[in-house]
Amino acid sequence: MSGSAKLQFRAVQGEAAGRPIAAERQLSVWQRQFGRSWVYQAAFLLLLAAIWEGYGRFVDNPLLVPTLTQTLLAMWDGLVGGELTVRIVNSLRVLLTGYVIGVVLACLLTSLAVSNRFGRDALSVLTAMFNPLPAISLLPIALLWFGMGWGSLVFVIVHAVMWPMALNVHTGFEGISPTLRMAGQNAGLRGLRYVRHILLPAALPSIISGLKLGWAFAWRTLIASEMVFGVSSGSGGIGWFIFVNRNLMETANVFAGLLTVVLIGLLIESLIFRALENATVRRWGMVR
């Protein structure tokens, strides 16, 4: 008799005798700690850091590829000196403004689309037209309309956020099963209570995916826009920091700016979106 068959036979014997049988074996401390996804992610990041450091030392040319140590020192100098800190604050201020406006407009479009046939057709046509259009391609128009400043950046960020967000939210509402809708109506839910207790929880995975996708599009659009025309040396963000240091051949500072972009993206993903998922859809068992 095989090991699994013996285990099943013993379980049946224990149930017949009225003895409780543990459904799962006790995990070891090693398995409990290293079976968590964040441990694997941290290990992977450490591996990438070691590869970067080793390759930089192998090339031995800071002008071409600075090591991770040199990049971190440049980042520290930028943060302590205040220049990189100011650039980060400027970028996040513009990003949050455009992101919030884009999310609000996307929700308004989606509300119109789910309320009547005309709104649904209009959203379908608009997303087919503007969603494939890169936001960076609108920079010349933004410069004509708003000038070289804060307004141009907000305009392209709103475009980058609004269409993928609206498409994901609308897909989430359209994907709600008729059975679930009828169950809510049979339970006497109407109006805002019906939206709050039935529609929003069912569409929440798609809504969160839209928020994450909009954030990613907004972040890369902002950095690319700042690298194209900056704003000005006094109010530019991280992209402007990268652009200026590239012209000065300060490669370590360029890599420090790029690493800052990556780290901010990881922090937003880990601290905000993952916490939102854990508190809602993962807690409710809607996603694995």
Side-chain angles (χ1 to χ4, degrees):
M1 184 180 295
S2 63
S4 60
K6 289 180 180 179
L7 184 59
Q8 293 176 357
F9 179 71
R10 290 174 182 173
V12 171
Q13 283 185 325
E15 290 177 356
R19 296 192 302 270
I21 301 296
E24 297 180 356
R25 63 186 179 87
Q26 187 71 22
L27 296 178
S28 64
V29 176
W30 176 271
Q31 289 172 322
R32 287 198 301 269
Q33 294 298 325
F34 290 89
R36 299 175 181 175
S37 60
W38 68 267
V39 176
Y40 289 104
Q41 294 172 1
F44 182 70
L45 290 177
L46 290 176
L47 177 61
L48 291 179
I51 293 174
W52 181 358
E53 182 71 21
Y55 183 73
R57 292 180 182 273
F58 173 77
V59 173
D60 195 21
N61 186 354
L63 188 62
L64 182 63
V65 181
T67 63
L68 176 61
T69 303
Q70 293 168 336
T71 302
L72 292 176
L73 288 175
M75 180 187 293
W76 176 256
D77 292 338
L79 293 174
V80 173
E83 181 182 5
L84 185 56
T85 305
V86 172
R87 304 303 181 192
I88 292 173
V89 172
N90 290 339
S91 289
L92 292 179
R93 179 175 59 88
V94 176
L95 178 70
L96 291 176
T97 302
Y99 183 75
V100 170
I101 295 175
V103 169
V104 171
L105 291 178
C107 292
L108 292 177
L109 281 174
T110 307
S111 301
L112 181 63
V114 299
S115 60
N116 57 76
R117 177 64 181 271
F118 173 77
R120 181 165 62 252
D121 293 339
L123 179 62
S124 177
V125 173
L126 290 175
T127 53
M129 291 172 55
F130 294 114
N131 194 37
L133 185 65
I136 197 72
S137 66
L138 296 177
L139 276 178
I141 298 176
L143 290 173
L144 289 175
W145 289 353
F146 304 102
M148 186 176 293
W150 179 82
S152 298
L153 292 176
V154 172
F155 176 78
V156 295
I157 291 173
V158 169
H159 172 82
V161 173
M162 183 168 58
W163 307 114
M165 176 70 186
L167 192 59
N168 274 268
V169 175
H170 182 255
T171 302
F173 281 113
E174 289 293 312
I176 300 175
S177 66
T179 304
L180 184 60
R181 294 175 182 268
M182 289 187 293
Q185 293 171 354
N186 292 335
L189 298 177
R190 296 291 186 274
L192 292 178
R193 295 181 65 235
Y194 176 71
V195 173
R196 176 185 175 186
H197 294 286
I198 299 297
L199 298 185
L200 280 180
L204 197 56
S206 295
I207 295 174
I208 295 178
S209 296
L211 290 172
K212 293 170 67 174
L213 191 61
W215 160 261
F217 281 10
W219 190 222
R220 70 186 187 185
T221 298
L222 173 64
I223 300 302
S225 301
E226 289 178 342
M227 292 182 67
V228 170
F229 67 90
V231 170
S232 68
S233 60
S235 60
I238 304 175
W240 181 257
F241 177 84
I242 296 172
F243 178 79
V244 170
N245 282 280
R246 191 267 297 177
N247 291 336
L248 297 176
M249 301 298 291
E250 295 287 348
T251 311
N253 287 337
V254 173
F255 274 75
L258 294 174
L259 183 59
T260 301
V261 173
V262 173
L263 291 178
I264 291 176
L266 287 175
L267 286 175
I268 296 298
E269 171 69 24
S270 302
L271 298 181
I272 297 180
F273 290 118
R274 186 166 299 175
L276 179 61
E277 288 181 340
N278 292 336
T280 55
V281 293
R282 292 188 186 276
R283 181 182 178 184
W284 301 337
M286 302 177 69
V287 297
R288 296 180 60 183

